[in-house]
Amino acid sequence: MRSADRTTVPTEGLRRLADEETFGRFLARGTGPGPRAGLAPDRPGHHARRAARGGFWALGLAAWLVAALAVAAEPLPPLRWAADAEGGAPYVFRDPTAPGRHVGFEVDLAEALQEELGRRIEFVQYDFKSLVSGLKRGDFDFAMNGLEVTPDRLKAIRFSRPYYVYRLRLVVRQDEERFATLNQCKAVGGVVGTLEDTAAERLLDQLGVRKRIYDSQVEPYDDLEQRQVDAVLLDLPIADYYARQRPKLKYAEEPSARGFYAVAFRKDQEELASQFDAAIDRLWRSGRLQRIYQAWGLWNDDQQALSGAEGMADVLRESARQWTPARYLPLLLQGAWVTIEVSVLSMSVAIALGLPLALGRLFGPAPIRWLAAAYVEFFRGIPVLLLLYFLYYGLPAVSEYYGLAMDLKLAPLQAAVLGFGLNYAAYEAEIYRAGIGSIGVGQWEAAASLGMGPALAFRRIVLPQAIRVILPPMTNDFVALFKDTSIVSVIAVVELTKQYQILAKSSMKYLEIGLATAALYLVMSVPLGYLSRRLERRWGKGA
């Protein structure tokens, strides 16, 4: 009985597997009746046991092969490609006919690389200024957004074989007769607009030309038309798309300072970068790269240099320099001075407007109270960034559109001071209103009993007492203003934070220069708190 059980059970189990053709043949060979020719008869159940063992081994092998094939057939995860669509044409930008998708010559290049690599590529929107830091942090797999191969970037990331050769293009106004070259522009003291952390900026620094830094590539040409700058120096693809079609602008000297765009990877992505190198080389040899550039009007004789480009050439190598404290501290101090200038002037405007607004809300007739309340609610309700954009870019457009005789164009510093002054005046008005309202009616009555009129009573009795209440929150606002001035870089004001960003990206010394920048902010803000506490102790019972 025991022997029969041992023979029958596995045999029946194997017969259930015999429905599959492969295992059916195996069982037919190993479990047929009778001894094989030339061999002695086996013990009872011997063939069944051998068949069972062989069947299970075959089953395990088949399962392993199926799993291996499944793993091999599983597609690789898509590669995440980061770029900034805000940069615009011709790199990556929204399709005006289908806003849900992106177009641009780099979009076409990404599609071609996707086919060459046999791996899907997904677009990730990322701020251009943070592409290098985001890549190092691992937020995406590679960056491709007109990134120029420069010495400081070479220290931090691994560049692929170059995929485009660019030159820098100087653009001036049609009526410009003072200069036609960068050296001539320097001689007449001209200001040249450019983008931050670009080859154009480094060239201007190398030549000692005055510059104005912008966050995007449209505003420099707008400012050039409005005579806010004297020229613009940017890459030729940008100039071709944003300057060539403007009747008020023209090209100056011939394109200069050749350089390369390349795909950026982390240092530990050597295998992936090598695959991209090979893919770009195949696209060049097949002529597809040329067809993409011709479709976007970007093909020129300079692209022939790609045939021999092996990766890390850098047209601006001569501008590489050692960033020591002796080099960057003076620039940080310049940025700190601009921060102080904007903060002090803006707070002066805020105080000058805030006190009348508070008095209007407290003591004015109904129309004045309504207007003061509307001012406070309006300027507290809109972002100061939007206000800066309107004052700097919107007002000149309004003046030009309506043909006003008055020129509404503001200089960057003027727009910054006015914008922050108008915004902070709303907050200061509420602080002053609360401080003045906290003084009891008895103080007014006592002043009146001494023969003082309302104005004299306010100046001599009420306001000095209210200052003790007003001073701490007003000081806090002043300190906050020092930090809020960092957003004025959107209208080409290079204050302390913007200067830090420029220097850190040029030198890759984020920590060292960041600590120096933080120290400067502390030097500017901590004494304000000390002064506030001292005035409180002097003028009354303060904290």
Side-chain angles (χ1 to χ4, degrees):
M1 175 68 72
R2 201 177 307 156
S3 175
D5 290 341
R6 290 167 58 191
T7 303
T8 304
V9 173
T11 302
E12 290 178 351
L14 289 173
R15 283 173 181 166
R16 287 195 295 270
L17 296 173
D19 294 334
E20 296 182 23
E21 182 180 357
T22 303
F23 291 102
R25 295 197 200 99
F26 179 84
L27 290 175
R29 285 198 309 270
T31 61
R36 287 171 290 179
L39 295 177
D42 289 330
R43 295 187 303 273
H46 177 72
H47 290 295
R49 288 193 297 273
R50 288 186 61 185
R53 287 195 298 268
F56 282 122
W57 275 107
L59 181 61
L61 178 61
W64 180 83
L65 288 173
V66 169
L69 289 173
V71 171
E74 183 180 350
L76 293 172
L79 293 171
R80 292 167 57 82
W81 157 44
D84 190 353
E86 185 182 354
Y91 303 92
V92 183
F93 60 103
R94 293 282 187 180
D95 186 353
T97 61
R101 71 187 188 98
H102 294 90
V103 293
F105 86 90
E106 289 181 330
V107 176
D108 293 349
L109 177 57
E111 292 175 355
L113 288 170
Q114 178 176 258
E115 295 177 14
E116 289 291 331
L117 296 169
R119 191 170 176 182
R120 192 157 58 91
I121 294 177
E122 293 181 347
F123 174 79
V124 177
Q125 169 63 34
Y126 215 88
D127 182 62
F128 179 83
K129 294 180 294 184
S130 302
L131 281 176
V132 173
S133 58
L135 177 65
K136 295 171 66 177
R137 195 166 49 244
D139 291 348
F140 43 84
D141 295 301
F142 69 94
M144 182 174 66
N145 198 197
L147 280 173
E148 301 148 329
V149 181
T150 56
D152 52 283
R153 288 175 179 161
L154 282 171
K155 297 176 183 177
I157 55 180
R158 200 279 203 194
F159 277 109
S160 73
R161 173 191 180 95
Y163 63 83
Y164 189 79
V165 182
Y166 72 90
R167 286 188 183 270
L168 300 180
R169 193 43 131 153
L170 185 66
V171 178
V172 298
R173 288 183 292 272
Q174 282 286 357
D175 59 357
E176 183 60 73
E177 298 179 354
R178 297 173 299 163
F179 61 90
T181 68
L182 279 175
N183 287 326
Q184 293 172 353
C185 179
K186 175 184 176 182
V188 300
V191 177
V192 180
T194 191
L195 296 179
E196 177 188 351
D197 194 26
T198 59
E201 183 195 5
R202 289 168 173 79
L203 182 60
L204 294 175
D205 289 340
Q206 179 187 348
L207 297 177
V209 181
R210 296 171 60 198
K211 66 182 179 182
R212 181 172 294 171
I213 303 299
Y214 292 85
D215 283 335
S216 65
Q217 54 204 39
V218 179
E219 286 81 0
Y221 297 113
D222 291 340
D223 273 7
L224 181 58
E225 286 187 333
Q226 297 169 11
R227 300 182 180 275
Q228 298 278 18
V229 294
D230 300 296
V232 173
L233 183 70
L234 287 174
D235 299 355
L236 183 58
I238 300 174
D240 280 346
Y241 267 77
Y242 290 100
R244 186 172 55 182
Q245 307 302 327
R246 300 190 183 209
K248 294 182 180 180
L249 305 181
K250 65 179 181 180
Y251 287 159
E253 61 181 329
E254 288 300 311
S256 60
R258 189 181 71 177
F260 296 98
Y261 295 154
V263 185
F265 303 89
R266 295 189 302 276
K267 291 284 190 179
D268 60 355
Q269 292 178 296
E270 182 60 37
E271 182 179 354
L272 181 61
S274 298
Q275 294 174 8
F276 270 73
D277 289 341
I280 294 171
D281 182 66
R282 292 193 297 270
L283 290 174
W284 164 256
R285 296 180 186 280
S286 67
R288 186 169 181 180
L289 209 57
Q290 179 175 346
R291 292 192 295 273
I292 291 174
Y293 297 154
Q294 286 174 337
W296 287 92
L298 298 174
W299 180 260
N300 51 48
D301 293 339
D302 288 332
Q303 306 314 313
Q304 298 297 333
L306 292 175
S307 62
E310 294 301 333
M312 298 304 111
D314 180 22
V315 70
L316 296 178
R317 191 174 299 279
E318 67 274 9
S319 68
R321 49 194 173 183
Q322 297 296 322
W323 286 98
T324 62
R327 289 184 179 272
Y328 64 72
L329 280 179
L331 297 175
L332 287 178
L333 290 173
Q334 291 178 13
W337 173 250
V338 174
T339 296
I340 293 172
E341 195 174 9
V342 172
S343 300
V344 171
L345 293 176
S346 299
M347 184 54 74
S348 299
V349 172
I351 292 172
L353 291 175
L355 187 57
L357 286 169
L359 295 177
R361 292 198 68 181
L362 285 170
F363 309 117
I368 298 296
R369 293 198 303 272
W370 296 338
L371 288 174
Y375 178 97
V376 169
E377 296 304 325
F378 177 79
F379 283 101
R380 284 198 311 184
I382 62 172
V384 66
L385 183 62
L386 177 63
L387 181 58
L388 291 175
Y389 265 114
F390 174 75
L391 292 174
Y392 189 68
Y393 296 111
L395 283 181
V398 169
S399 176
E400 182 177 356
Y401 182 79
Y402 289 103
L404 302 179
M406 181 186 303
D407 188 4
L408 299 178
K409 180 174 60 181
L410 298 174
L413 187 62
Q414 293 172 335
V417 170
L418 182 59
F420 276 110
L422 292 173
N423 181 262
Y424 270 76
Y427 298 99
E428 296 307 301
E430 290 300 279
I431 291 173
Y432 302 159
R433 184 172 68 90
I436 294 170
S438 67
I439 306 303
V441 179
Q443 299 294 317
W444 292 93
E445 294 174 348
S449 67
L450 296 175
M452 294 184 182
L456 184 60
F458 175 77
R459 183 167 58 89
R460 292 281 185 87
I461 305 299
V462 176
L463 185 58
Q465 297 181 70
I467 285 178
R468 295 204 304 271
V469 179
I470 292 170
L471 194 58
M474 186 174 70
T475 304
N476 186 63
D477 277 356
F478 199 11
V479 173
L481 181 56
F482 270 103
K483 295 176 288 185
D484 287 349
T485 54
S486 60
I487 66 173
V488 299
S489 60
V490 300
I491 57 172
V493 177
V494 182
E495 42 66 63
L496 182 54
T497 298
K498 187 68 172 180
Q499 194 69 265
Y500 160 71
Q501 294 171 345
I502 295 171
L503 293 172
K505 290 180 179 179
S506 298
S507 64
M508 304 307 295
K509 295 183 177 180
Y510 287 92
L511 178 61
E512 181 179 328
I513 299 180
L515 291 175
T517 304
L520 286 174
Y521 271 114
L522 291 173
V523 167
M524 291 186 294
S525 60
V526 170
L528 288 175
Y530 172 77
L531 178 62
S532 172
R533 290 190 296 271
R534 183 173 181 179
L535 291 176
E536 288 178 63
R537 289 194 298 267
R538 180 176 178 180
W539 290 345
K541 294 181 179 179

